[in-house]
Coordinates of all heavy atoms in Angstrom, one line a residue:
P1 N 87.8 140.6 107.8 CA 89.2 140.3 107.4 C 89.3 140.5 105.9 O 88.9 139.6 105.2 CB 89.4 138.9 107.8 CG 88.2 138.5 108.6 CD 87.2 139.5 108.5
D2 N 89.9 141.6 105.5 CA 90.1 141.8 104.1 C 91.5 141.6 103.6 O 91.9 142.0 102.6 CB 89.7 143.3 103.7 CG 88.2 143.4 103.9 OD1 87.4 142.4 103.7 OD2 87.7 144.6 104.2
S3 N 92.3 140.9 104.5 CA 93.7 140.7 104.1 C 93.8 139.7 102.9 O 92.9 139.0 102.6 CB 94.5 140.2 105.3 OG 94.1 138.9 105.6
E4 N 94.9 139.7 102.3 CA 95.2 138.8 101.1 C 95.1 137.3 101.6 O 94.7 136.5 100.8 CB 96.5 139.1 100.5 CG 96.6 140.4 99.8 CD 95.6 140.5 98.6 OE1 95.4 139.5 97.9 OE2 94.9 141.5 98.5
F5 N 95.6 137.1 102.8 CA 95.5 135.7 103.3 C 94.1 135.2 103.3 O 93.8 134.1 102.8 CB 96.1 135.7 104.8 CG 96.0 134.3 105.4 CD1 97.0 133.4 105.2 CD2 95.0 134.0 106.3 CE1 96.9 132.1 105.7 CE2 94.9 132.8 106.9 CZ 95.8 131.8 106.6
F6 N 93.2 135.9 103.9 CA 91.8 135.5 103.9 C 91.1 135.5 102.6 O 90.2 134.6 102.3 CB 91.0 136.3 104.9 CG 91.3 136.0 106.4 CD1 92.1 136.8 107.1 CD2 90.8 134.8 106.9 CE1 92.4 136.5 108.5 CE2 91.1 134.4 108.2 CZ 91.9 135.3 109.0
K7 N 91.5 136.4 101.7 CA 90.9 136.3 100.4 C 91.4 135.1 99.6 O 90.6 134.5 98.9 CB 91.4 137.6 99.6 CG 90.7 138.8 100.0 CD 91.2 140.0 99.2 CE 90.6 141.3 99.6 NZ 91.2 142.5 98.9
F8 N 92.6 134.6 99.8 CA 93.1 133.5 99.2 C 92.6 132.2 99.8 O 92.1 131.3 99.2 CB 94.6 133.5 99.1 CG 95.2 132.3 98.4 CD1 95.2 132.2 97.0 CD2 95.8 131.3 99.1 CE1 95.7 131.2 96.3 CE2 96.3 130.2 98.4 CZ 96.3 130.1 97.0
F9 N 92.9 132.1 101.2 CA 92.6 130.8 101.9 C 91.2 130.7 102.3 O 90.7 129.7 102.6 CB 93.6 130.7 103.1 CG 95.0 130.3 102.6 CD1 96.0 131.3 102.7 CD2 95.3 129.1 102.2 CE1 97.3 131.0 102.3 CE2 96.6 128.8 101.8 CZ 97.6 129.7 101.9
G10 N 90.5 131.8 102.5 CA 89.1 131.8 102.9 C 88.2 131.0 102.0 O 87.3 130.3 102.5
K11 N 88.4 131.1 100.7 CA 87.6 130.3 99.8 C 87.9 128.8 100.0 O 86.9 128.1 99.9 CB 88.0 130.7 98.3 CG 87.6 132.2 98.0 CD 88.1 132.5 96.6 CE 87.9 134.0 96.4 NZ 88.5 134.4 95.1
A12 N 89.1 128.4 100.2 CA 89.4 127.0 100.3 C 88.9 126.5 101.7 O 88.6 125.3 101.8 CB 90.9 126.8 100.2
M13 N 88.8 127.3 102.7 CA 88.4 126.9 104.0 C 86.9 126.9 104.2 O 86.4 126.5 105.3 CB 89.1 127.7 105.1 CG 90.6 127.5 105.1 SD 91.4 128.1 106.5 CE 91.2 129.8 106.4
K14 N 86.1 127.3 103.3 CA 84.7 127.4 103.5 C 84.0 126.3 102.6 O 83.8 126.4 101.4 CB 84.1 128.7 103.0 CG 84.5 129.9 103.9 CD 83.9 131.2 103.4 CE 84.5 132.3 104.2 NZ 84.1 133.6 103.6
P15 N 83.7 125.1 103.3 CA 83.1 124.0 102.5 C 81.7 124.4 102.2 O 81.0 125.1 102.8 CB 83.2 122.9 103.5 CG 83.2 123.5 104.8 CD 84.0 124.8 104.7
V16 N 81.2 123.7 101.1 CA 79.9 124.0 100.6 C 78.9 123.3 101.5 O 77.9 123.8 101.9 CB 79.7 123.5 99.2 CG1 78.3 123.6 98.7 CG2 80.7 124.2 98.3
D17 N 79.1 122.0 101.9 CA 78.3 121.3 102.8 C 79.1 120.4 103.7 O 80.3 120.3 103.6 CB 77.2 120.5 102.0 CG 77.8 119.5 101.0 OD1 79.0 119.1 101.2 OD2 77.2 119.1 100.0
I18 N 78.4 119.6 104.5 CA 79.0 118.7 105.5 C 79.9 117.7 104.8 O 80.9 117.3 105.3 CB 78.0 118.1 106.4 CG1 78.7 117.4 107.6 CG2 77.1 117.1 105.7 CD1 79.4 118.3 108.6
N19 N 79.5 117.1 103.6 CA 80.2 116.1 103.0 C 81.6 116.6 102.5 O 82.6 116.0 102.6 CB 79.4 115.5 101.8 CG 78.2 114.7 102.3 OD1 78.3 114.1 103.4 ND2 77.2 114.6 101.5
S20 N 81.6 117.8 101.9 CA 82.9 118.4 101.4 C 83.8 118.7 102.6 O 85.0 118.6 102.5 CB 82.6 119.6 100.6 OG 82.1 120.6 101.3
K21 N 83.2 119.1 103.8 CA 84.0 119.3 105.0 C 84.6 118.1 105.5 O 85.8 118.0 105.8 CB 83.1 120.0 106.1 CG 83.9 120.3 107.3 CD 83.0 121.1 108.3 CE 83.5 121.3 109.6 NZ 84.9 121.7 109.8
L22 N 83.9 117.0 105.5 CA 84.4 115.7 105.9 C 85.5 115.2 104.9 O 86.6 114.7 105.4 CB 83.3 114.6 106.0 CG 82.4 114.8 107.2 CD1 81.2 113.8 107.1 CD2 83.1 114.7 108.5
V23 N 85.3 115.3 103.7 CA 86.3 114.9 102.7 C 87.6 115.8 102.8 O 88.7 115.3 102.8 CB 85.7 115.0 101.2 CG1 86.8 114.9 100.2 CG2 84.6 114.0 101.0
N24 N 87.4 117.1 103.0 CA 88.5 118.0 103.2 C 89.3 117.6 104.5 O 90.5 117.5 104.4 CB 88.0 119.4 103.4 CG 89.1 120.4 103.3 OD1 90.1 120.2 102.7 ND2 88.8 121.6 103.9
E25 N 88.7 117.3 105.6 CA 89.4 116.9 106.8 C 90.0 115.5 106.6 O 91.1 115.3 107.1 CB 88.4 116.8 108.0 CG 88.0 118.2 108.4 CD 87.1 118.2 109.7 OE1 87.0 117.1 110.3 OE2 86.7 119.3 110.1
F26 N 89.4 114.6 105.9 CA 90.0 113.3 105.6 C 91.3 113.5 104.8 O 92.3 112.8 105.1 CB 89.0 112.4 104.9 CG 89.5 111.0 104.6 CD1 89.7 110.1 105.6 CD2 89.9 110.7 103.3 CE1 90.2 108.9 105.3 CE2 90.4 109.4 103.0 CZ 90.5 108.5 104.0
I27 N 91.2 114.3 103.8 CA 92.4 114.5 102.9 C 93.5 115.2 103.7 O 94.7 114.8 103.6 CB 92.1 115.4 101.7 CG1 91.2 114.5 100.8 CG2 93.3 115.8 100.9 CD1 90.5 115.3 99.6
I28 N 93.2 116.1 104.6 CA 94.2 116.7 105.5 C 94.8 115.7 106.4 O 96.0 115.7 106.6 CB 93.6 117.9 106.3 CG1 93.2 119.1 105.4 CG2 94.5 118.3 107.4 CD1 92.4 120.1 106.0
A29 N 94.0 114.8 107.0 CA 94.5 113.7 107.8 C 95.5 112.8 107.1 O 96.5 112.4 107.6 CB 93.3 112.9 108.4
I30 N 95.1 112.4 105.9 CA 96.0 111.5 105.1 C 97.3 112.3 104.8 O 98.4 111.7 104.9 CB 95.3 111.1 103.8 CG1 94.1 110.2 104.1 CG2 96.2 110.4 102.9 CD1 94.4 108.9 104.8
G31 N 97.2 113.6 104.4 CA 98.4 114.3 104.1 C 99.3 114.4 105.3 O 100.5 114.3 105.2
L32 N 98.7 114.6 106.5 CA 99.5 114.7 107.8 C 100.2 113.4 108.0 O 101.3 113.3 108.4 CB 98.6 115.1 108.9 CG 99.3 115.3 110.3 CD1 100.3 116.4 110.2 CD2 98.2 115.7 111.3
L33 N 99.5 112.3 107.8 CA 100.0 111.0 108.0 C 101.2 110.8 107.1 O 102.3 110.3 107.5 CB 99.0 109.9 107.7 CG 99.4 108.4 107.8 CD1 99.7 108.1 109.3 CD2 98.4 107.5 107.2
F34 N 101.1 111.1 105.8 CA 102.2 111.0 104.9 C 103.4 111.9 105.3 O 104.5 111.5 105.2 CB 101.8 111.3 103.4 CG 101.0 110.3 102.8 CD1 100.2 110.6 101.6 CD2 100.9 109.0 103.2 CE1 99.5 109.7 101.0 CE2 100.2 108.0 102.6 CZ 99.4 108.4 101.4
F35 N 103.1 113.1 105.7 CA 104.1 114.0 106.1 C 104.9 113.4 107.3 O 106.2 113.5 107.3 CB 103.5 115.4 106.5 CG 104.5 116.3 107.0 CD1 105.3 117.1 106.2 CD2 104.7 116.5 108.4 CE1 106.2 118.0 106.6 CE2 105.6 117.4 108.9 CZ 106.4 118.2 108.0
I36 N 104.2 113.0 108.3 CA 104.9 112.4 109.5 C 105.7 111.2 109.2 O 106.9 111.1 109.6 CB 103.9 112.2 110.6 CG1 103.4 113.5 111.2 CG2 104.6 111.4 111.8 CD1 102.2 113.4 112.1
E37 N 105.2 110.3 108.4 CA 105.9 109.1 108.0 C 107.1 109.4 107.2 O 108.2 108.9 107.3 CB 105.0 108.1 107.3 CG 104.0 107.4 108.2 CD 103.3 106.2 107.6 OE1 103.7 105.8 106.5 OE2 102.4 105.8 108.2
G38 N 106.9 110.3 106.2 CA 108.1 110.7 105.4 C 109.2 111.4 106.2 O 110.3 111.2 106.0
L39 N 108.8 112.2 107.1 CA 109.7 112.9 108.0 C 110.5 111.9 108.8 O 111.8 112.0 108.9 CB 109.0 113.9 108.9 CG 109.9 114.7 109.9 CD1 110.7 115.7 109.1 CD2 109.0 115.4 110.9
L40 N 109.8 110.9 109.4 CA 110.5 109.9 110.2 C 111.5 109.0 109.3 O 112.6 108.7 109.7 CB 109.5 109.0 110.9 CG 108.8 109.6 112.0 CD1 107.7 108.7 112.6 CD2 109.7 110.1 113.1
L41 N 111.0 108.7 108.1 CA 111.9 107.9 107.2 C 113.1 108.7 106.7 O 114.2 108.2 106.6 CB 111.1 107.5 106.0 CG 110.2 106.3 106.2 CD1 109.2 106.1 105.0 CD2 110.9 105.0 106.5
A42 N 112.9 110.0 106.5 CA 114.0 110.9 106.1 C 115.0 111.1 107.2 O 116.3 111.1 107.0 CB 113.5 112.2 105.6
I43 N 114.6 111.2 108.5 CA 115.5 111.6 109.6 C 116.1 110.3 110.2 O 117.2 110.3 110.6 CB 114.7 112.4 110.6 CG1 114.3 113.7 110.0 CG2 115.5 112.6 111.9 CD1 113.4 114.6 111.0
L44 N 115.3 109.2 110.3 CA 115.7 108.1 111.1 C 115.6 106.8 110.3 O 114.9 105.8 110.7 CB 114.9 107.9 112.4 CG 114.8 109.1 113.3 CD1 113.7 109.0 114.3 CD2 116.2 109.3 114.0
P45 N 116.2 106.6 109.1 CA 116.0 105.4 108.3 C 116.5 104.1 109.0 O 115.8 103.1 108.9 CB 116.8 105.7 107.0 CG 117.7 106.8 107.4 CD 117.1 107.6 108.5
S46 N 117.6 104.2 109.7 CA 118.1 103.0 110.3 C 117.2 102.5 111.5 O 117.0 101.3 111.7 CB 119.6 103.1 110.8 OG 119.7 104.2 111.7
R47 N 116.7 103.5 112.2 CA 115.8 103.2 113.3 C 114.5 102.6 112.8 O 114.0 101.6 113.4 CB 115.5 104.4 114.2 CG 116.6 105.0 114.9 CD 116.9 104.3 116.2 NE 115.8 104.4 117.1 CZ 115.7 103.8 118.2 NH1 116.6 103.1 118.7 NH2 114.6 104.0 119.0
I48 N 114.0 103.1 111.7 CA 112.8 102.5 111.1 C 113.0 101.1 110.6 O 112.2 100.2 110.9 CB 112.4 103.4 109.9 CG1 112.0 104.8 110.3 CG2 111.2 102.8 109.1 CD1 110.8 105.0 111.2
K49 N 114.2 100.8 110.0 CA 114.5 99.4 109.6 C 114.6 98.5 110.9 O 114.1 97.4 110.8 CB 115.8 99.4 108.9 CG 115.7 100.0 107.5 CD 117.1 100.1 106.8 CE 117.5 98.8 106.2 NZ 118.7 98.9 105.4
N50 N 115.1 99.0 112.0 CA 115.2 98.2 113.2 C 113.8 97.9 113.7 O 113.5 96.8 114.2 CB 116.1 98.9 114.2 CG 117.5 98.9 113.9 OD1 118.0 98.1 113.0 ND2 118.3 99.8 114.5
M51 N 112.9 99.0 113.7 CA 111.6 98.8 114.2 C 110.8 97.8 113.3 O 110.0 97.0 113.8 CB 110.9 100.1 114.3 CG 111.3 101.0 115.4 SD 110.3 102.4 115.7 CE 110.9 103.5 114.4
L52 N 111.0 97.9 112.0 CA 110.3 96.9 111.1 C 110.7 95.5 111.4 O 109.9 94.6 111.3 CB 110.5 97.3 109.7 CG 109.8 98.6 109.2 CD1 110.2 99.0 107.8 CD2 108.3 98.5 109.3
E53 N 112.0 95.3 111.7 CA 112.5 94.0 112.0 C 111.9 93.5 113.3 O 111.5 92.3 113.4 CB 114.0 94.0 112.1 CG 114.6 92.6 112.2 CD 114.4 91.7 111.0 OE1 114.4 92.3 109.9 OE2 114.3 90.5 111.2
L54 N 111.7 94.4 114.3 CA 111.1 94.1 115.6 C 109.6 93.7 115.4 O 109.2 92.7 115.9 CB 111.2 95.2 116.5 CG 110.7 95.1 117.9 CD1 111.5 94.1 118.7 CD2 110.6 96.4 118.6
I55 N 109.0 94.4 114.5 CA 107.6 94.2 114.2 C 107.4 92.8 113.5 O 106.5 92.0 113.8 CB 106.9 95.3 113.4 CG1 106.8 96.5 114.2 CG2 105.6 94.9 112.8 CD1 106.4 97.8 113.4
K56 N 108.3 92.5 112.6 CA 108.3 91.2 111.9 C 108.4 90.0 112.9 O 107.8 89.0 112.6 CB 109.5 91.2 110.9 CG 109.5 90.0 110.1 CD 110.7 90.0 109.1 CE 110.8 88.7 108.3 NZ 112.0 88.8 107.5
N57 N 109.1 90.2 114.0 CA 109.3 89.1 114.9 C 108.3 89.1 116.1 O 108.4 88.3 117.0 CB 110.8 89.2 115.5 CG 111.8 89.0 114.4 OD1 111.6 88.2 113.4 ND2 112.9 89.6 114.5
T58 N 107.4 90.1 116.1 CA 106.4 90.2 117.1 C 105.2 89.3 116.7 O 104.7 89.3 115.6 CB 105.9 91.6 117.3 OG1 107.1 92.4 117.6 CG2 104.9 91.8 118.4
P59 N 104.6 88.5 117.7 CA 103.4 87.7 117.4 C 102.3 88.5 117.0 O 102.1 89.7 117.4 CB 103.2 87.0 118.8 CG 104.4 87.1 119.6 CD 105.1 88.4 119.1
E60 N 101.4 88.0 116.1 CA 100.3 88.7 115.5 C 99.3 89.2 116.6 O 98.7 90.3 116.5 CB 99.6 87.9 114.5 CG 100.3 87.7 113.2 CD 99.6 87.0 112.2 OE1 98.3 86.8 112.3 OE2 100.2 86.6 111.2
N61 N 99.0 88.3 117.6 CA 98.1 88.7 118.6 C 98.5 90.0 119.4 O 97.8 90.8 119.8 CB 97.7 87.6 119.6 CG 98.9 87.1 120.3 OD1 100.1 87.4 120.0 ND2 98.7 86.3 121.4
K62 N 99.9 90.1 119.6 CA 100.4 91.3 120.3 C 100.3 92.5 119.4 O 99.9 93.6 119.9 CB 101.9 91.0 120.7 CG 102.4 92.0 121.6 CD 103.8 91.6 122.1 CE 103.9 91.5 123.6 NZ 105.2 91.3 124.1
L63 N 100.5 92.3 118.1 CA 100.4 93.4 117.2 C 98.9 93.9 117.1 O 98.6 95.1 117.0 CB 100.8 93.0 115.8 CG 102.4 92.9 115.6 CD1 102.7 92.3 114.2 CD2 103.1 94.2 115.8
R64 N 98.0 92.9 117.1 CA 96.6 93.3 117.1 C 96.2 94.1 118.4 O 95.4 95.1 118.3 CB 95.7 92.1 117.0 CG 95.6 91.5 115.7 CD 94.5 90.4 115.6 NE 94.5 89.9 114.2 CZ 95.1 88.8 113.9 NH1 95.7 88.0 114.8 NH2 95.1 88.3 112.7
S65 N 96.7 93.7 119.5 CA 96.5 94.4 120.8 C 97.0 95.8 120.7 O 96.3 96.8 121.1 CB 97.1 93.7 122.0 OG 96.6 92.4 122.1
F66 N 98.2 96.0 120.2 CA 98.8 97.3 120.1 C 98.0 98.2 119.1 O 97.7 99.3 119.3 CB 100.3 97.3 119.6 CG 101.3 96.9 120.7 CD1 102.2 96.0 120.4 CD2 101.2 97.6 121.9 CE1 103.1 95.6 121.4 CE2 102.2 97.3 122.9 CZ 103.1 96.3 122.6
G67 N 97.6 97.5 118.0 CA 96.8 98.2 117.0 C 95.4 98.7 117.6 O 95.0 99.8 117.3
L68 N 94.8 97.8 118.3 CA 93.5 98.2 118.9 C 93.7 99.3 120.0 O 92.9 100.2 120.0 CB 92.9 97.0 119.6 CG 91.5 97.2 120.2 CD1 90.5 97.6 119.1 CD2 91.0 95.9 120.8
F69 N 94.8 99.2 120.7 CA 95.1 100.3 121.7 C 95.3 101.6 121.1 O 94.6 102.6 121.5 CB 96.3 99.9 122.5 CG 96.8 100.9 123.5 CD1 96.1 101.2 124.7 CD2 97.9 101.7 123.2 CE1 96.6 102.2 125.5 CE2 98.4 102.7 124.0 CZ 97.7 102.9 125.2
F70 N 96.1 101.7 120.0 CA 96.3 103.0 119.3 C 95.1 103.4 118.6 O 94.8 104.7 118.5 CB 97.5 102.8 118.4 CG 98.8 102.8 119.1 CD1 99.6 101.7 119.0 CD2 99.2 103.8 119.9 CE1 100.9 101.6 119.7 CE2 100.4 103.8 120.6 CZ 101.2 102.7 120.5
L71 N 94.3 102.5 118.1 CA 93.0 102.9 117.5 C 92.1 103.6 118.4 O 91.5 104.7 118.2 CB 92.3 101.6 116.9 CG 90.9 101.8 116.3 CD1 91.1 102.1 114.8 CD2 90.1 100.6 116.5
I72 N 92.0 103.1 119.7 CA 91.1 103.7 120.7 C 91.7 105.0 121.1 O 90.9 106.0 121.2 CB 91.0 102.7 121.9 CG1 90.1 101.5 121.4 CG2 90.3 103.4 123.1 CD1 90.1 100.3 122.4
I73 N 93.0 105.1 121.3 CA 93.6 106.3 121.7 C 93.4 107.4 120.7 O 93.0 108.5 121.0 CB 95.1 106.2 122.0 CG1 95.3 105.3 123.2 CG2 95.8 107.5 122.2 CD1 94.8 105.8 124.5
G74 N 93.6 107.1 119.4 CA 93.4 108.0 118.3 C 91.9 108.5 118.2 O 91.7 109.7 118.0
F75 N 91.0 107.5 118.4 CA 89.6 107.9 118.4 C 89.3 108.8 119.5 O 88.6 109.8 119.3 CB 88.7 106.6 118.5 CG 87.3 106.9 118.6 CD1 86.5 107.3 117.5 CD2 86.6 106.9 119.8 CE1 85.2 107.6 117.6 CE2 85.3 107.2 120.0 CZ 84.6 107.6 118.8
L76 N 89.8 108.6 120.7 CA 89.5 109.4 121.8 C 90.1 110.8 121.7 O 89.4 111.8 122.0 CB 90.0 108.8 123.1 CG 89.2 107.6 123.6 CD1 89.9 106.9 124.8 CD2 87.8 107.9 123.9
I77 N 91.2 110.9 121.1 CA 91.8 112.2 120.8 C 91.0 113.0 119.8 O 90.7 114.2 120.1 CB 93.3 112.1 120.3 CG1 94.2 111.6 121.4 CG2 93.8 113.4 119.7 CD1 95.6 111.2 121.0
I78 N 90.6 112.4 118.7 CA 89.8 113.0 117.7 C 88.4 113.4 118.3 O 87.9 114.6 118.1 CB 89.6 112.1 116.5 CG1 90.9 112.0 115.8 CG2 88.6 112.7 115.5 CD1 90.9 110.9 114.7
W79 N 87.8 112.5 119.1 CA 86.5 112.8 119.7 C 86.6 114.0 120.7 O 85.8 114.9 120.7 CB 86.0 111.6 120.4 CG 84.7 111.8 121.1 CD1 83.5 111.8 120.5 CD2 84.5 112.0 122.5 NE1 82.5 112.0 121.5 CE2 83.1 112.1 122.7 CE3 85.4 112.0 123.6 CZ2 82.6 112.3 124.0 CZ3 84.9 112.2 124.8 CH2 83.5 112.4 125.0
Y80 N 87.7 114.0 121.4 CA 87.9 115.1 122.4 C 88.0 116.5 121.7 O 87.5 117.5 122.1 CB 89.1 114.8 123.3 CG 89.4 115.9 124.3 CD1 88.6 116.1 125.4 CD2 90.4 116.8 124.1 CE1 88.8 117.1 126.4 CE2 90.6 117.9 125.0 CZ 89.8 118.0 126.1 OH 90.1 119.0 127.0
I81 N 88.9 116.5 120.6 CA 89.1 117.7 119.9 C 87.9 118.2 119.2 O 87.6 119.4 119.2 CB 90.3 117.5 118.9 CG1 91.6 117.2 119.6 CG2 90.4 118.7 117.9 CD1 92.1 118.3 120.4
K82 N 87.1 117.3 118.6 CA 85.9 117.7 117.9 C 84.8 118.1 118.8 O 83.9 118.8 118.3 CB 85.4 116.5 117.0 CG 86.4 116.2 115.8 CD 86.4 117.4 115.0 CE 86.5 117.1 113.5 NZ 86.4 118.3 112.7
N83 N 84.7 117.6 120.0 CA 83.6 118.0 120.9 C 84.2 118.9 122.0 O 84.1 119.8 122.4 CB 83.0 116.8 121.6 CG 82.3 115.9 120.6 OD1 81.7 116.4 119.7 ND2 82.5 114.6 120.7

């Protein structure tokens, strides 16, 4: 592949070692998180405010259960994609 795309992006996509690959993927994941949250806030600000009020009135043990559930689902998705 001698196209300009690979000449430009090929350097950025070839990590030197496993640590730089992990850091690169972590930064991409954080960027994706910011992108999705920013998109939702820009498109649905009133719905976000309503959801935050709902979260404020939800008991902590229920929030922990939801958090643990989404943590496990996210881990399984990442594990499936990586393997």
